[in-house]
Structures are given as structure tokens and as C-alpha cells.
Amino acid sequence: AGALSEIATVLNYGALCDGVTNDTPAAVAMLAAVGYVVFPRDRTTVIKNLALPDNAKVFSPGTLKLPAGCVDFDRLIHASGKVGLHIQISEIDGNYSGQSGSIGTHLIYLTDCPAPVVIVDNAYSHYIASAASMPSVDGIRNASSGAIYLYRCHKSSVIIGKLTGWGREGVYLEECN
């Protein structure tokens, strides 16, 4: 086995991880090629609407950040009806300054995914509280779906170290057991 520094990351698939460029295409390419995605340590990677397939693994020892210009129902990472998901992220920057209006973006949004594992050490800077209604784009999300939202994800394991700067629920588990 090689050293940790020799492990392939999204940088090997064209990502810049400069905290500005949307590196979602590189993450999609890595997922398609190897079934998992690894983001580099000590870098900020901007991604949006990264859809996970079955058995996907996401590992980020650095920072994942939503880009500027997000609209209602944009998500950092999402999946529906997928099995074997494991997400482990050191830091998520919700990029509140890059969002406008009363929108409902999500950081992690999983629906009908059995037994997912979600571990986030620190998540911060998300949308502020508002009285505006959040339309249910997918027929699932309700007015109080959190930034980290799991719906009917039975036998979930969710570990969140620190949440700061949230407008609505930070973590919302709906119809989960």
C-alpha cells in the first residue's frame, strides 16, 4: 500500500480545488471511474448537486463548499434510493454570502437510502432563518427540512461534530429509524 499522499483525488480528474472553480465535473468523473470520490486535504473544493450512485463513498479531509449563485433546492451532495453510502467530510462551507433570497439549499440530502453513514466534523455558514415557505420541489421536502436532511433512510448513522450559522434545522431526520 502506498502513502496517503499517493492516493488519487479529484485533482487527478481535473479538479482545481482552489475554492472558486466548480469542481463537480471532476468529482462526477472520479465517481464514474472508481465508485468513490476523494477530495484533497487542506484544500477547498467547490461542488454542487453531486449525485451519488449505489455504494458510493465520499471522503473529504479538506473543505467542501457550495458555490455562489445557488438557488432553491441546490444541494452539495444528494442521493435517492441508493444503498451502501458512506460520506465523511471534515468541513462544509455552506457559503451563505454566495446565496441570495429566501432559498432552501441543502448540504447533504438523502431520500430512501437504507443505512447511510454520514459523518461531518464541522459545517457552517448556511442560509438564515426566514418566514418564507420552501416549496417541495421533489414532493418530499417540507418547510423544515434541514441543511443535512435524511428522509426514510432507515438504520442511518449520522454524526455531526459542530453546526454553526443555520437558519432552519441543522440536521433533520424525517421518517427514519
Side-chain angles (χ1 to χ4, degrees):
L4 184 59
S5 63
E6 296 173 7
I7 293 175
T9 70
V10 292
L11 292 168
N12 300 91
Y13 291 83
L16 297 179
C17 303
D18 60 6
V20 178
T21 305
N22 186 339
D23 289 319
T24 307
V28 169
M30 186 170 193
L31 271 171
V34 296
Y36 59 87
V37 61
V38 177
F39 297 93
R41 179 180 307 282
D42 301 325
R43 302 283 285 270
T44 298
T45 307
V46 174
I47 62 170
K48 178 173 86 171
N49 296 325
L50 179 62
L52 301 180
D54 283 328
N55 301 307
K57 309 296 184 245
V58 176
F59 180 66
S60 177
T63 301
L64 296 184
K65 179 180 177 180
L66 275 171
C70 285
V71 297
D72 184 44
F73 209 59
D74 276 331
R75 290 125 338 149
L76 187 75
I77 296 170
H78 68 96
S80 183
K82 303 303 178 188
V83 300
L85 301 180
H86 186 102
I87 301 166
Q88 187 168 351
I89 302 169
S90 178
E91 186 171 276
I92 299 176
D93 179 350
N95 193 17
Y96 171 70
S97 65
Q99 300 180 32
S100 62
S102 299
I103 61 175
T105 57
H106 300 276
L107 301 180
I108 299 171
Y109 191 90
L110 306 178
T111 60
D112 296 302
C113 298
V117 174
V118 177
I119 302 168
V120 178
D121 294 335
N122 182 21
Y124 58 89
S125 188
H126 205 242
Y127 57 87
I128 60 171
S130 73
S133 63
M134 293 172 36
S136 184
V137 177
D138 62 356
I140 296 171
R141 181 179 80 177
N142 64 39
S144 291
S145 56
I148 298 171
Y149 179 72
L150 281 67
Y151 174 76
R152 292 194 315 205
C153 295
H154 304 302
K155 298 184 181 179
S156 302
S157 177
V158 180
I159 301 169
I160 309 297
K162 182 178 179 183
L163 293 167
T164 56
W166 302 104
R168 297 182 190 259
E169 290 80 4
V171 177
Y172 196 93
L173 305 175
E174 185 173 3
E175 295 185 32
C176 297
N177 62 21

